[in-house]
Amino acid sequence: MNTANTLFLILSSVLVLFMTPGLAFFYGGLGDKKNVVNTMLSVFIMCGLAIVMWIICGYSLSFVGDFAGIVGNFSAFLLHGVKLTALTATKIPTSLYLIFQMMFAVITPALFVGAVVGRIRFKFLLVFTVLWSIFIYYPLVHMVWANGFLAKLGVIDFAGGTVVHIDAGVTALVLAYCVGQRASFRKGVEEKHYNLPWALLGTSILWIGWYGFNAGSALATDQIAVQAVLTTTVATASSMITWMLVEMAFKGKASLAGVCNGTLCGLVGITPATGYVTVAGAFWIGLISALASYFFVNKIKHRIGLDDALDAFGCHGVCGIVGSILTGLFASRAVNPSIALDGLFYGGGFKLFGTQLFATIFAILFAAVISFAIVKLLKWWLPMRVAAEEERDGLDQGEHSEDADYLM
């Protein structure tokens, strides 16, 4: 066992877990006052639900066996037969790699909560998350990071642009359309943020935790991990400043909520590329991610009738898509010789770019079609949306009430 790598991955795993309560503060602060407790509950509960699911079948379906290059199997149900003390290629225990990947399984479904806060039933969200994990998340982990067909095609995703942000972001889009618009959205009323200092706190926690997310994905204390820290920092700062400048140009002033969103856009956009690109590549990925997200959130979202309450698709979906595609342009073997091809801008031709584009489109369609099917199936026997009066009064009203079954 490599002690340095093991300690590094323990720290990285803790940082990734820390991101989920950070997300709870981020969403809770940006949401409205009447739903803040329900919003934070809906995010934080993923820590328990996703961990239990991962141990029962998630690790097995993701990393054990192979069925048609799409998914693993159930042979390691409850980790049966998994040699937890076996060492990986970077000399860390299999049990630690399992834990690190577990934390990704926690934060990913928490992301799409932001699209539907204030109007989705808690019980529906829980059951949906269970099915979503089994039929979307675990298969995508297998396809990209295990022995799946996307990995064999040469798709690269350093820390989760495809596996985490595209599937969660697209799922947010589907959920938002399926649950329908809020009454305030239909009336054109912009709800006030509950607590912007909370949003800033959540953003800061996410940025700190993201170093575990991105640098930890190197799985070793090496130059690639250092590069991931550097590119994550540069892309995030680039995106933050870009969002601020665009907001000042179009709205006349900067806002804290906008700066927080811009920060998150850079973190999301660089995720698939962070261990593959130069500092210059990170700068441009952050800038382009912020531009794409800003114009979607402010110019396109309302025109297409998308009530994405906290811009889960507008940030994670859009920037995940942008980052995944741009990886095919900016990836460099000089940075990471483990990849087979340079990106288009580094003399590698169109092959890697085309592969990344295919994987991005596939992930979008895969997540969209199956998420929609799961929603339609569940709505046959579970109500999805709270009643109109419950939405009007807020989902926190029943915290001390005996008739608070709408929370379920």
Side-chain angles (χ1 to χ4, degrees):
M1 181 173 68
N2 185 300
T3 303
N5 291 350
T6 299
L7 289 173
F8 175 59
L9 262 292
I10 290 174
L11 174 61
S12 295
S13 299
V14 172
L15 287 173
V16 178
L17 178 61
F18 191 39
M19 292 170 70
T20 300
L23 185 69
F25 274 101
F26 179 76
Y27 280 164
L30 289 180
D32 58 78
K33 182 178 180 179
K34 64 186 180 181
N35 295 313
V36 62
V37 175
N38 179 267
T39 298
M40 298 181 82
L41 167 66
S42 298
V43 172
F44 189 63
I45 196 63
M46 299 303 174
C47 292
L49 181 62
I51 288 172
V52 170
M53 286 288 299
W54 186 252
I55 296 302
I56 291 173
C57 65
Y59 179 79
S60 186
L61 289 171
S62 299
F63 293 107
V64 179
D66 177 64
F67 178 76
I70 301 295
V71 71
N73 57 44
F74 285 101
S75 64
F77 181 80
L78 280 174
L79 303 185
H80 173 75
V82 177
K83 296 181 179 179
L84 298 177
T85 58
L87 298 181
T88 67
T90 56
K91 305 300 180 183
I92 63 171
T94 296
S95 56
L96 181 54
Y97 181 70
L98 179 152
I99 292 168
F100 182 63
Q101 286 291 338
M102 177 196 294
M103 301 313 172
F104 281 66
V106 170
I107 186 68
T108 305
L111 299 176
F112 57 66
V113 170
V116 289
V117 294
R119 61 198 196 275
I120 194 170
R121 289 179 181 262
F122 188 66
K123 183 185 292 185
F124 186 96
L125 178 65
L126 292 182
V127 178
F128 176 85
T129 300
V130 170
L131 296 178
W132 178 89
S133 298
I134 293 171
F135 292 104
I136 297 178
Y137 183 71
Y138 305 151
L140 271 175
V141 171
H142 182 82
M143 283 185 267
V144 177
W145 286 338
N147 195 33
F149 88 98
L150 290 177
K152 292 177 180 177
L153 284 178
V155 172
I156 56 175
D157 182 357
F158 193 81
T162 305
V163 175
V164 175
H165 296 292
I166 292 179
D167 64 343
V170 170
T171 300
L173 177 71
V174 171
L175 286 174
Y177 273 124
C178 288
V179 78
Q181 298 172 346
R182 291 166 294 173
S184 58
F185 184 89
R186 292 193 294 269
K187 295 175 183 177
V189 177
E190 186 172 345
E191 296 182 341
K192 294 182 179 179
H193 302 305
Y194 169 63
N195 192 319
L196 283 178
W198 277 19
L200 178 59
L201 172 64
T203 303
S204 302
I205 292 172
L206 286 168
W207 191 343
I208 293 168
W210 226 285
Y211 290 117
F213 201 78
N214 282 0
S217 293
L219 304 178
T221 51
D222 57 15
Q223 182 56 42
I224 303 303
V226 175
Q227 186 73 9
V229 171
L230 180 58
T231 55
T232 298
T233 306
V234 170
T236 305
S238 170
S239 182
M240 176 201 292
I241 298 302
T242 299
W243 188 293
M244 181 193 72
L245 292 176
V246 173
E247 191 171 46
M248 290 173 67
F250 281 91
K251 297 183 178 180
K253 61 180 181 178
S255 70
L256 180 56
V259 168
C260 288
N261 275 329
T263 301
L264 203 59
C265 287
L267 292 166
V268 173
I270 194 59
T271 292
T274 183
Y276 302 129
V277 299
T278 64
V279 172
F283 172 85
W284 289 111
I285 289 173
L287 185 151
I288 296 168
S289 296
L291 290 176
S293 181
Y294 181 90
F295 284 105
F296 180 86
V297 168
N298 291 280
K299 304 297 183 181
I300 298 175
K301 183 176 74 170
H302 285 270
R303 293 183 183 179
I304 62 176
L306 174 64
D307 185 9
D308 180 2
L310 302 179
D311 296 315
F313 176 76
C315 178
H316 296 279
V318 170
C319 296
I321 290 167
V322 169
S324 180
I325 294 172
L326 292 183
T327 300
L329 299 178
F330 289 104
S332 169
R333 295 191 74 250
V335 172
N336 191 333
S338 70
I339 59 176
L341 296 168
D342 283 312
L344 178 62
F345 291 167
Y346 287 82
F350 284 93
K351 186 171 182 180
L352 180 60
F353 175 71
T355 302
Q356 293 298 115
L357 184 61
F358 170 79
T360 301
I361 295 171
F362 175 85
I364 292 170
L365 294 176
F366 184 79
V369 171
I370 300 179
S371 291
F372 184 76
I374 293 172
V375 169
K376 289 300 181 182
L377 174 66
L378 287 182
K379 287 177 76 173
W380 284 347
W381 61 282
L382 273 179
M384 182 180 188
R385 184 166 179 153
V386 300
E389 60 272 18
E390 295 161 353
E391 180 184 344
R392 181 196 64 223
D393 296 338
L395 300 188
D396 293 348
Q397 296 300 311
E399 285 297 302
H400 305 290
S401 172
E402 292 180 356
D403 59 350
D405 57 341
Y406 61 81
L407 286 173
M408 297 299 293

